[in-house]
Amino acid sequence: EDEQIVAEIMRRRFFPALITHKAWEGFHFAGHEIRITEATDCYGAVVWPSALVLCYFLETHSKQFNLVDKNVIEIGAGTGLVSIVASLLGALVTATDLPELLGNLQHNVLQNTKLKCKHQPRVKELSWGIDLEKNFPRSSCHFDYIMAGFMAADVVYHHPFLDELLLTFDHLCKNDTVILWAMKFRLDKENQFVRRFQTLFDLEVISNFPSLNITLYKAMRKGRMKA
């Protein structure tokens, strides 16, 4: 079953018939053809398998996780594929990443959502742990969903800013916020991060893809999962 679903996910991807001066690849999600321009000189500006897994899940579970008119923020949006799919599914999306990735991210988001979405998504800088209250004040920012499918969703494999990542989750997450996170397990260092994450959040496996070594999690603030 896992291999069949993974094969279906990978069939959503297509490539240009002719070689062009810009590297891009295409995807079929939410009833649309999505073209993503990649920046091959930048690690965060490529499409990772975890993003495909998350997009497929959002599309095939749109009744259980109804995104229409929901406030969604994606952290580490990279090329913007997840944000684009969430927008096409009716969400009001804020796609965030580091300053050097925003140009390519904005291009992809605009190209694939203009005049196609109920709510035009916005692109905003978010450096983990930096100026969170200034840029995302707790009093006025409320997100129904936080999504993460970045850097093969195993950003904590070799990322030096684990404390800042956890601080960012903590700042953005209200009591009723749902985190959807595609995670690829590798090293014990990462597992330590997950254990720290679980001191603040209840973590539940909602889908598993062994052939990709990717697990999709739902998380909410400690004690709020059932509510």
Side-chain angles (χ1 to χ4, degrees), residues 56-149:
Y56 180 80
F57 180 86
L58 293 175
E59 181 187 74
T60 56
H61 293 76
S62 59
K63 290 185 179 179
Q64 181 182 359
F65 294 91
N66 184 359
L67 299 184
V68 177
D69 297 331
K70 297 296 194 299
N71 283 312
V72 172
I73 186 169
E74 184 187 6
I75 61 174
T79 60
L81 180 61
V82 173
S83 288
I84 291 165
V85 171
S87 297
L88 293 171
L89 290 171
L92 177 58
V93 176
T94 302
T96 70
D97 216 312
L98 297 171
E100 59 267 27
L101 298 178
L102 295 187
N104 188 63
L105 175 59
Q106 179 70 68
H107 168 78
N108 285 328
V109 167
L110 186 61
Q111 175 178 265
N112 290 286
T113 62
K114 189 175 182 180
L115 303 179
K116 298 177 182 178
C117 298
K118 184 176 182 180
H119 307 286
Q120 184 61 36
R122 64 174 182 163
V123 172
K124 191 170 181 178
E125 177 185 343
L126 174 55
S127 299
W128 299 341
I130 298 176
D131 292 332
L132 294 175
E133 181 58 30
K134 176 183 176 183
N135 296 323
F136 301 91
R138 288 179 184 269
S139 60
S140 59
C141 287
H142 181 281
F143 297 106
D144 299 293
Y145 290 94
I146 299 173
M147 296 185 183

Side-chain angles (χ1 to χ4, degrees), residues 23-25 27 34-38 47 79-81 84 108 112:
W24 68 270
E25 55 185 317
F27 305 89
I34 301 168
R35 294 195 177 193
I36 295 293
T37 300
E38 297 186 334
V47 177
T79 60
L81 180 61
I84 291 165
N108 285 328
N112 290 286

